Amino acid sequence: MRCSCKNCGVYMIQSDDGHLGCVCPECGARCRDCLGTNSVISAEFFEKLRTDPAMAELFMKRLGDDSEDGEDE
């Protein structure tokens, strides 16, 4: 993944130290945008998916497809 510094626009490189993310070699700014660390999915969102009838239908269909593949008698 390539990303540029939000401060000065220089191409950033992956950090080799204990902090995940990129470091700008020009100004020293750090970011974690390309790691997706600002996109955490909440427990509430997963709860909504669990109780969503459309998701249940997709999940059950997938389970049915898997069991049919294993029955080669």
Side-chain angles (χ1 to χ4, degrees):
M1 165 101 15
R2 293 183 179 199
C3 60
S4 59
C5 179
K6 292 180 182 178
N7 293 332
C8 63
V10 172
Y11 175 70
M12 297 178 75
I13 56 174
Q14 290 292 316
S15 171
D16 287 333
D17 58 13
H19 302 287
L20 293 176
C22 296
V23 179
C24 176
E26 187 68 28
C27 70
R30 293 180 170 265
C31 83
R32 296 183 294 183
D33 294 347
C34 61
L35 297 175
T37 54
N38 289 330
S39 60
V40 176
I41 299 173
S42 69
E44 292 81 18
F45 179 78
F46 280 113
E47 182 63 25
K48 286 179 185 176
L49 284 180
R50 187 181 71 81
T51 59
D52 183 352
M55 288 301 293
E57 183 178 331
L58 287 170
F59 181 73
M60 294 306 287
K61 180 179 179 345
R62 180 172 284 172
L63 282 178
D65 291 347
D66 289 346
S67 66
E68 290 173 10
D69 290 341
E71 296 178 13
D72 290 336
E73 294 180 28

